[in-house]
């Protein structure tokens, strides 16, 4: 009879949910091997569906989502452009403007002498595979138990 509205501050202008999804997608696509195309496809799909659901839930305005996408993609590209161009020399930047504008970058990248290789430890991939097998087995067994609980026969025999 009385419906209470959810009050928020109303000052959204940046969707942290979208920025997190976009940044995760960018990192997965940048640092996973090209031959694992299923990871890239899954990452893009999750990002697109996540953005759709954020907009469908009316949690953010469309402009909030667009600005978050632009900001997160640009920051990712700026950082990786600076890191890959080897602007750092012997722990000090070649350009003093970079030291004043990007002190955190200068601190984090001061000891990097070459590009980090794009390889995944095979043990990590094996543990991910084992985890997925366990999850699929668990849900398959849970589905069978639910079928039994609700009285559906799972063992069909043809006579």
């Amino acid at each position: 009879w009385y419906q209470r509205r959810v009050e928020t501050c109303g000052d959204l202008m940046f969707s942290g949910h979208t920025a997190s999804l976009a940044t995760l997608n960018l990192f997965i696509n940048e640092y996973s091997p090209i031959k694992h195309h299923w990871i890239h496809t899954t990452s893009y799909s999750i990002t697109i569906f996540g953005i759709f659901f954020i907009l469908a839930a009316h949690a953010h305005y469309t402009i909030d989502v667009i600005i978050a996408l632009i900001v997160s993609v640009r920051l990712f590209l700026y950082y990786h452009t600076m890191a890959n161009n080897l602007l750092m020399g012997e722990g000090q930047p070649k350009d003093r403007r970079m030291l004043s504008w990007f002190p955190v970058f200068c601190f984090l990248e001061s000891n990097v002498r070459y590009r980090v290789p794009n390889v995944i430890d095979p043990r990590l991939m094996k543990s991910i595979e084992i985890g997925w097998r366990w999850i699929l087995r668990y849900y398959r067994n849970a589905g069978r138990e639910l079928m039994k609980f609700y009285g559906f026969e799972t063992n069909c025999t043809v006579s």
Side-chain angles (χ1 to χ4, degrees), residues 116-127:
V116 177
N118 189 5
V119 293
I120 292 181
D121 189 358
R123 296 173 295 183
L124 175 65
M125 291 306 290
K126 187 68 175 171
S127 64

Side-chain angles (χ1 to χ4, degrees), residues 38 120-135:
W38 57 273
I120 292 181
D121 189 358
R123 296 173 295 183
L124 175 65
M125 291 306 290
K126 187 68 175 171
S127 64
I128 290 172
E129 182 182 344
I130 290 169
W132 274 111
R133 284 184 188 166
W134 182 87
I135 289 170

